[in-house]
Coordinates of all heavy atoms in Angstrom, one line a residue:
L1 N 0.8 -1.2 0.0 CA 0.1 0.0 0.1 C 0.8 1.2 0.0 O 1.9 1.3 0.6 CB -0.9 0.0 1.3 CG -2.0 -1.0 1.3 CD1 -2.6 -1.0 2.7 CD2 -3.0 -0.9 0.2
S2 N 0.4 2.2 -0.7 CA 1.1 3.6 -0.6 C 0.1 4.4 0.2 O -1.2 4.5 -0.1 CB 1.1 4.2 -2.0 OG 1.7 5.6 -1.8
L3 N 0.5 4.9 1.4 CA -0.3 5.6 2.4 C 0.1 7.0 2.6 O 1.2 7.4 2.5 CB -0.1 4.9 3.8 CG -0.4 3.5 3.8 CD1 0.0 3.0 5.2 CD2 -1.9 3.1 3.4
H4 N -0.9 7.8 2.6 CA -0.7 9.3 2.8 C -1.6 9.7 4.1 O -2.7 9.6 4.1 CB -1.2 10.1 1.7 CG -0.8 11.6 1.8 ND1 0.3 12.1 1.5 CD2 -1.7 12.6 2.1 CE1 0.3 13.5 1.6 NE2 -0.8 13.8 1.9
K5 N -1.0 10.3 5.0 CA -1.6 10.7 6.3 C -2.8 11.7 6.1 O -2.7 12.6 5.3 CB -0.7 11.3 7.4 CG 0.2 10.3 8.0 CD 1.1 11.0 9.1 CE 1.8 9.9 9.9 NZ 2.6 10.5 11.1
S6 N -3.9 11.3 6.7 CA -5.1 12.1 6.6 C -5.7 12.2 8.1 O -5.0 12.0 9.0 CB -6.2 11.5 5.6 OG -7.2 12.3 5.5
T7 N -7.0 12.6 8.1 CA -7.6 12.7 9.4 C -9.0 12.2 9.3 O -9.5 12.1 8.2 CB -7.7 14.1 10.0 OG1 -8.6 14.9 9.1 CG2 -6.4 14.8 10.0
F8 N -9.5 11.7 10.4 CA -10.9 11.2 10.5 C -11.9 12.3 9.9 O -12.7 11.9 9.2 CB -11.3 10.8 11.9 CG -12.8 10.3 11.9 CD1 -13.2 9.0 11.5 CD2 -13.8 11.3 12.1 CE1 -14.5 8.7 11.5 CE2 -15.2 10.8 12.3 CZ -15.4 9.5 11.9
E9 N -11.7 13.5 10.2 CA -12.6 14.6 9.9 C -12.6 14.8 8.4 O -13.7 14.9 7.8 CB -12.3 15.8 10.6 CG -12.5 15.9 12.1 CD -11.5 15.0 13.0 OE1 -10.4 14.7 12.5 OE2 -12.0 14.5 14.0
K10 N -11.5 14.7 7.8 CA -11.3 14.9 6.3 C -12.0 13.7 5.6 O -12.7 13.9 4.6 CB -9.9 15.0 5.8 CG -9.2 16.3 6.3 CD -7.9 16.5 5.7 CE -7.3 17.8 6.1 NZ -6.0 18.0 5.5
I11 N -11.8 12.5 6.1 CA -12.4 11.3 5.5 C -13.9 11.4 5.7 O -14.7 11.0 4.7 CB -11.9 10.1 6.0 CG1 -10.4 9.9 5.6 CG2 -12.7 8.8 5.8 CD1 -9.7 8.8 6.3
A12 N -14.4 11.8 6.8 CA -15.9 11.9 7.0 C -16.6 12.9 6.4 O -17.9 12.9 6.3 CB -16.0 11.9 8.5
A13 N -15.9 13.9 5.8 CA -16.5 15.1 5.2 C -17.4 14.7 4.1 O -18.6 15.2 4.0 CB -15.5 16.0 4.7
E14 N -17.2 13.7 3.4 CA -18.1 13.2 2.3 C -18.3 11.7 2.4 O -18.7 11.1 1.4 CB -17.5 13.6 0.9 CG -17.6 15.1 0.7 CD -17.2 15.4 -0.9 OE1 -17.7 14.6 -1.7 OE2 -16.7 16.4 -1.1
N15 N -18.1 11.2 3.5 CA -18.5 9.9 3.9 C -19.4 9.9 5.2 O -19.1 9.7 6.2 CB -17.2 9.0 4.2 CG -16.8 8.2 3.0 OD1 -17.4 7.4 2.4 ND2 -15.5 8.4 2.7
S16 N -20.6 10.3 4.9 CA -21.6 10.6 6.0 C -21.9 9.4 6.8 O -22.2 9.6 8.2 CB -22.9 11.1 5.4 OG -23.5 10.3 4.6
Q17 N -21.8 8.3 6.4 CA -22.1 7.1 7.3 C -21.0 6.8 8.3 O -21.2 5.9 9.1 CB -22.1 5.8 6.3 CG -23.4 5.6 5.5 CD -23.5 6.6 4.4 OE1 -22.4 7.0 3.8 NE2 -24.8 7.1 4.1
L18 N -19.9 7.6 8.3 CA -19.1 7.7 9.4 C -19.6 8.5 10.6 O -19.0 8.6 11.7 CB -17.6 8.1 9.1 CG -16.9 7.2 8.1 CD1 -15.6 7.8 7.7 CD2 -16.4 5.8 8.9
K19 N -20.7 9.1 10.4 CA -21.3 10.0 11.3 C -22.7 9.8 11.7 O -23.2 9.8 12.8 CB -21.2 11.6 10.9 CG -19.8 12.0 10.6 CD -19.5 13.4 10.1 CE -20.1 13.6 8.8 NZ -20.0 14.9 8.1
I20 N -23.5 9.5 10.6 CA -25.0 9.3 10.8 C -25.4 8.1 9.9 O -24.8 7.9 8.9 CB -25.8 10.5 10.6 CG1 -25.6 11.0 9.1 CG2 -25.5 11.6 11.6 CD1 -26.5 12.1 8.8
P21 N -26.5 7.5 10.2 CA -27.0 6.3 9.3 C -27.6 7.1 8.0 O -27.9 8.3 8.0 CB -28.2 5.8 10.1 CG -28.0 6.1 11.5 CD -27.2 7.4 11.4
S22 N -27.8 6.2 7.0 CA -28.3 6.7 5.7 C -29.8 7.2 5.8 O -30.6 6.8 6.9 CB -28.3 5.6 4.7 OG -27.1 5.1 4.3
V23 N -30.1 8.2 5.1 CA -31.4 8.8 5.1 C -32.0 8.5 3.6 O -31.3 9.0 2.7 CB -31.5 10.2 5.4 CG1 -32.9 10.8 5.3 CG2 -31.0 10.5 6.8
P24 N -33.2 8.0 3.4 CA -33.7 7.8 2.0 C -33.9 9.3 1.3 O -34.3 10.3 1.9 CB -35.1 7.3 2.3 CG -35.0 6.7 3.7 CD -34.3 7.5 4.5
K25 N -33.6 9.2 0.0 CA -33.7 10.5 -0.8 C -34.9 10.4 -1.7 O -34.9 11.2 -2.7 CB -32.4 10.8 -1.6 CG -31.1 11.0 -0.7 CD -29.9 11.1 -1.5 CE -28.7 11.5 -0.7 NZ -28.3 10.3 0.2
G26 N -35.9 9.6 -1.3 CA -37.0 9.4 -2.1 C -38.1 8.8 -1.5 O -38.1 8.8 -0.2
N27 N -39.1 8.3 -2.1 CA -40.3 7.8 -1.4 C -40.1 6.3 -1.3 O -40.6 5.5 -1.9 CB -41.5 8.0 -2.3 CG -42.9 7.4 -1.6 OD1 -42.8 7.0 -0.5 ND2 -43.8 7.2 -2.5
R28 N -39.2 6.0 -0.2 CA -39.0 4.6 0.1 C -40.2 3.8 0.3 O -40.3 2.6 -0.2 CB -38.1 4.5 1.3 CG -37.7 3.1 1.7 CD -36.8 2.8 3.0 NE -36.5 1.5 3.1 CZ -37.2 0.6 3.8 NH1 -38.2 1.0 4.4 NH2 -36.7 -0.6 3.9
E29 N -41.1 4.2 1.1 CA -42.3 3.6 1.4 C -43.0 3.2 0.2 O -43.5 2.0 -0.1 CB -43.3 4.4 2.3 CG -44.5 3.6 2.6 CD -45.4 4.3 3.7 OE1 -45.1 5.4 4.1 OE2 -46.5 3.8 3.9
G30 N -43.2 4.1 -0.9 CA -43.9 3.8 -2.1 C -43.1 2.8 -2.9 O -43.7 2.0 -3.5
I31 N -41.7 3.0 -3.0 CA -41.0 2.0 -3.8 C -41.1 0.6 -3.2 O -41.3 -0.4 -4.0 CB -39.5 2.6 -3.7 CG1 -39.3 3.9 -4.5 CG2 -38.6 1.4 -4.4 CD1 -38.0 4.5 -4.3
M32 N -41.0 0.5 -1.8 CA -41.0 -0.8 -1.4 C -42.5 -1.4 -1.5 O -42.6 -2.6 -1.5 CB -40.6 -0.8 0.1 CG -39.1 -0.5 0.4 SD -37.9 -1.2 -0.7 CE -38.1 -2.9 -0.2
N33 N -43.5 -0.6 -1.3 CA -44.8 -1.2 -1.5 C -45.1 -1.6 -2.9 O -45.8 -2.5 -3.2 CB -45.8 -0.1 -1.1 CG -46.0 0.1 0.4 OD1 -45.7 -1.0 1.2 ND2 -46.4 1.1 1.0
A34 N -44.4 -0.9 -3.9 CA -44.4 -1.3 -5.2 C -43.9 -2.6 -5.4 O -44.4 -3.5 -6.2 CB -43.8 -0.3 -6.1
Y35 N -42.7 -2.9 -4.8 CA -42.0 -4.1 -5.0 C -42.8 -5.4 -4.2 O -43.0 -6.3 -4.9 CB -40.8 -4.0 -4.2 CG -39.9 -5.4 -4.3 CD1 -39.3 -5.7 -5.4 CD2 -39.8 -6.2 -3.1 CE1 -38.6 -6.9 -5.5 CE2 -39.1 -7.4 -3.2 CZ -38.5 -7.7 -4.5 OH -37.8 -8.9 -4.6
K36 N -43.5 -4.9 -3.2 CA -44.4 -5.9 -2.5 C -45.6 -6.3 -3.3 O -45.9 -7.6 -3.5 CB -44.9 -5.4 -1.2 CG -45.9 -6.3 -0.4 CD -46.3 -5.8 1.0 CE -47.3 -4.6 0.7 NZ -47.8 -4.1 2.0
T37 N -46.1 -5.5 -4.1 CA -47.4 -5.7 -4.9 C -47.1 -6.2 -6.3 O -47.7 -7.0 -6.8 CB -48.4 -4.5 -4.9 OG1 -47.6 -3.4 -5.5 CG2 -48.8 -4.2 -3.6
G38 N -46.0 -5.7 -6.8 CA -45.8 -6.0 -8.3 C -44.3 -6.5 -8.7 O -44.0 -6.6 -9.8
G39 N -43.5 -6.6 -7.6 CA -42.1 -7.2 -7.9 C -41.2 -6.1 -8.5 O -41.5 -5.0 -8.5
Y40 N -40.1 -6.6 -8.9 CA -39.1 -5.6 -9.3 C -39.6 -4.9 -10.6 O -39.3 -3.6 -10.9 CB -37.8 -6.3 -9.7 CG -36.7 -5.3 -10.2 CD1 -36.0 -4.5 -9.5 CD2 -36.5 -5.2 -11.6 CE1 -35.1 -3.5 -9.9 CE2 -35.6 -4.3 -12.0 CZ -34.8 -3.5 -11.3 OH -34.0 -2.5 -11.6
R41 N -40.3 -5.6 -11.5 CA -40.8 -5.0 -12.7 C -41.9 -3.7 -12.5 O -41.7 -2.8 -13.2 CB -41.6 -6.0 -13.5 CG -40.7 -7.0 -14.3 CD -41.4 -8.1 -14.9 NE -40.4 -8.9 -15.7 CZ -39.5 -9.7 -15.3 NH1 -39.3 -9.8 -14.0 NH2 -38.7 -10.4 -16.1
Q42 N -42.5 -3.9 -11.4 CA -43.3 -2.7 -11.0 C -42.4 -1.4 -10.5 O -42.7 -0.2 -10.9 CB -44.3 -3.1 -9.9 CG -45.3 -1.9 -9.4 CD -46.1 -1.4 -10.4 OE1 -46.3 -1.9 -11.5 NE2 -46.7 -0.2 -10.2
V43 N -41.4 -1.8 -9.7 CA -40.4 -0.8 -9.4 C -39.7 -0.1 -10.5 O -39.6 1.0 -10.5 CB -39.5 -1.5 -8.4 CG1 -38.2 -0.4 -8.1 CG2 -40.0 -2.0 -7.2
D44 N -39.4 -1.0 -11.5 CA -38.7 -0.5 -12.7 C -39.6 0.4 -13.5 O -39.2 1.4 -14.0 CB -38.2 -1.6 -13.5 CG -37.4 -1.1 -14.7 OD1 -36.3 -0.7 -14.4 OD2 -38.0 -1.2 -15.9
R45 N -40.8 0.1 -13.6 CA -41.8 1.0 -14.3 C -42.1 2.2 -13.7 O -42.1 3.3 -14.4 CB -43.2 0.3 -14.4 CG -43.2 -0.9 -15.5 CD -44.8 -1.5 -15.6 NE -45.2 -2.1 -14.6 CZ -45.1 -3.4 -14.4 NH1 -44.6 -4.3 -15.3 NH2 -45.6 -4.0 -13.4
I46 N -42.1 2.3 -12.3 CA -42.3 3.5 -11.6 C -41.0 4.5 -11.9 O -41.1 5.5 -12.0 CB -42.5 3.3 -10.1 CG1 -43.8 2.6 -10.0 CG2 -42.4 4.6 -9.2 CD1 -44.2 2.2 -8.5

C-alpha cells in the first residue's frame, strides 16, 4: 500500500455514514410497496 496521512474529519466530510445512518432520498415507502405488490418490474416501471 501507498499511504498518505489524513484525518478522520477529512475522510468523514463526504462519507456521512461515518457520522450518521443513511437517509432515504425518495419515497422509500412507495418504492417498497410497489415491490411488494408488483415485484421488481413494477419498481422499474415507476
